[in-house]
Amino acid sequence: MTIEARLAELGVTLPDAPAPAANYVPFVVTGNLVHVSGQISQTADGMIKGRLGADMETEAGAAAAKACAISLLAQLRRACDGDLTRLVRVVKLTGFVNSTPDFTDQPKVINGASDFLVAALGDAGRHARSAVSAASLPFGVAVEIEAIFEIR
């Protein structure tokens, strides 16, 4: 089953890859690795803003992380000239969670991205990962995630 077919089965349509918000490129391909710049939590309806431990619950944060993962795949598709069959595996995610100093469930928030990638990609979606707190994130978003993918 293709990645696009699996995404459709999950009810997900990849959006166009978001444009960079500042002076950087959205991804860099070096050898067989694609380094995707941090993708913020946003959907077609706008940015998903909030601070975990203050005005946002863990489940809503996990949904924001899933939105980041969808944008990561959209960037990967762009990096692969539209051909997601080139994906070998997700190598690493680094997730940043806009959270209060006493919030300690960053891993549960970033699970929203990890669980989605495994559901969409199977074993190729399993990855190394970091999940860290941030005092704030760009535009007040709840989550930002960057990724490294291996391609053929």
Side-chain angles (χ1 to χ4, degrees):
M1 179 180 291
T2 67
I3 293 171
E4 286 88 356
R6 182 69 185 132
L7 290 170
E9 196 174 81
L10 294 170
V12 174
T13 300
L14 292 183
D16 291 335
N23 187 18
Y24 62 91
V25 294
F27 57 84
V28 170
V29 179
T30 180
N32 64 340
L33 296 178
V34 180
H35 295 259
V36 179
S37 296
Q39 299 297 297
I40 60 173
S41 51
Q42 63 183 351
T43 66
D45 297 327
M47 292 183 199
I48 303 170
K49 297 181 178 186
R51 192 164 194 213
L52 281 292
D55 60 358
M56 183 177 260
E57 298 294 325
T58 302
E59 295 77 21
K66 177 182 175 182
C68 294
I70 291 168
S71 292
L72 288 166
L73 288 181
Q75 292 292 0
L76 176 65
R77 180 178 62 188
R78 185 169 170 221
C80 292
D81 298 320
D83 184 7
L84 284 176
T85 65
R86 293 179 59 195
L87 175 68
V88 173
R89 71 167 308 140
V90 182
V91 176
K92 172 116 194 255
L93 297 183
T94 303
F96 303 93
V97 180
N98 185 354
S99 55
T100 61
D102 60 337
F103 183 81
T104 59
D105 282 338
Q106 290 82 6
K108 289 181 182 177
V109 170
I110 302 304
N111 279 347
S114 296
D115 293 346
F116 168 73
L117 290 170
V118 171
L121 307 173
D123 283 340
R126 297 193 185 284
H127 51 271
R129 185 181 89 178
S130 298
V132 298
S133 178
S136 67
L137 288 173
F139 312 111
V141 297
V143 180
E144 180 175 351
I145 303 176
E146 63 184 28
I148 302 170
F149 297 95
E150 180 183 359
I151 59 171
R152 23 183 105 71

